[in-house]
């Protein structure tokens, strides 16, 4: 079984801006710069042939490149925050690309994600902090809510393999798909 997901990799300039934002937040654990990405779909643990079928479908996606803006900060987890993220300005092309990726995965036999797509770039993942730390984190996130990491042209998306280890996840690029429709 192969643990895999589909994501948009971020250019160096955007990752540098996000690293800066990570340092302004009191995050117990930060996502490594090379691991910062925008997930389109988590495929889960899938058998090789299913992943191969998904790859065929993903390779068949036709779409023109589009511009995307990374802006804003937020927390996932409500009263018990577990992740801090940078947001994405509303984008119809991004929604379209995500729907195409989901369709390709479904056709390959991968069960659809039940949760609604909420585009984001995870900056840090952690156990819910105690009240005082949580307040510091919430204040810092609120203070940076209007921050912008910048805009970039999405010219490709990537199929990644994810290896889970004691020091966090490591991602390996399995295939890339250019947008040039
Ligand atoms: O870093 P983000 O949030 O973009 O959260 C995981 C990560 O996305 C997500 O897949 C991406 C690469 O690991 N992920 C991990 N397990 C998941 C699950 N069971 C999951 N998404 C949905 N369901």
């Amino acid at each position: 079984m192969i643990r895999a997901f589909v994501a948009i990799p971020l250019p160096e300039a955007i990752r540098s801006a996000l690293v800066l934002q990570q340092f302004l937040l009191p995050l117990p654990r930060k996502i490594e710069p090379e691991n910062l990405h925008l997930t389109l779909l988590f495929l889960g643990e899938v058998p090789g042939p299913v992943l191969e079928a998904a790859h065929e479908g993903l390779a068949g996606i036709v779409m023109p490149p589009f511009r995307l803006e990374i802006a804003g900060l937020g927390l996932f987890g409500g009263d018990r925050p577990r992740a801090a993220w940078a947001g994405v300005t509303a984008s119809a092309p991004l929604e379209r690309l995500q729907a195409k990726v989901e369709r390709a995965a479904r056709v390959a036999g991968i069960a659809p994600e039940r949760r609604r797509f909420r585009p984001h770039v995870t900056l840090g993942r952690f156990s819910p902090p105690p009240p005082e730390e949580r307040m510091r984190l919430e204040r810092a996130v609120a203070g940076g809510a209007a921050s912008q990491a910048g805009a970039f042209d999405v010219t490709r998306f990537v199929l990644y393999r994810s290896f889970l280890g004691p020091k966090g996840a490591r991602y390996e690029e399995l295939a890339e798909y250019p947008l040039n429709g």
Side-chain angles (χ1 to χ4, degrees):
M1 297 287 253
I2 298 162
R3 186 180 177 87
F5 65 100
V6 181
I8 295 174
L10 302 173
E12 178 67 38
I14 300 282
R15 282 187 284 133
S16 300
L18 292 175
V19 166
L20 201 66
Q21 295 187 353
Q22 282 177 317
F23 274 96
L24 298 175
L25 298 175
L27 296 174
R29 252 185 55 222
K30 304 176 202 311
I31 303 292
E32 299 292 329
E34 67 272 18
N35 279 355
L36 292 168
H37 61 264
L38 196 169
T39 299
L40 292 167
L41 187 66
F42 177 69
L43 303 181
E45 305 264 352
V46 292
V50 172
L51 192 61
E52 186 59 40
H55 165 64
E56 300 288 328
L58 293 169
I61 289 178
V62 177
M63 240 194 91
F66 59 93
R67 203 153 175 83
L68 195 64
E69 185 184 30
I70 308 295
L73 295 176
L75 296 169
F76 279 144
D79 285 349
R80 291 169 55 76
R82 303 193 71 96
W85 48 263
V88 176
T89 305
S91 163
L94 178 65
E95 299 285 336
R96 261 200 309 281
L97 174 59
Q98 201 277 337
K100 285 174 189 278
V101 167
E102 210 163 274
R103 197 172 317 131
R106 202 169 47 237
V107 168
I110 296 169
E113 169 71 81
R114 277 170 300 142
R115 290 182 292 187
R116 182 172 62 89
F117 176 53
R118 292 170 76 181
H120 66 274
V121 179
T122 301
L123 300 177
R125 252 188 228 103
F126 37 83
S127 310
E132 210 157 289
E133 276 173 46
R134 180 186 135 194
M135 271 165 57
R136 258 187 332 126
L137 182 60
E138 285 174 348
R139 265 201 301 274
V141 165
S147 62
Q148 303 203 343
F152 68 105
D153 291 317
V154 181
T155 56
R156 65 189 184 117
F157 62 100
V158 170
L159 175 62
Y160 289 97
R161 179 167 189 175
S162 166
F163 297 92
L164 299 180
K167 283 193 272 172
R170 185 172 66 76
Y171 303 142
E172 179 186 303
E173 194 170 316
L174 293 178
E176 76 161 348
Y177 313 97
L179 294 184
N180 52 13

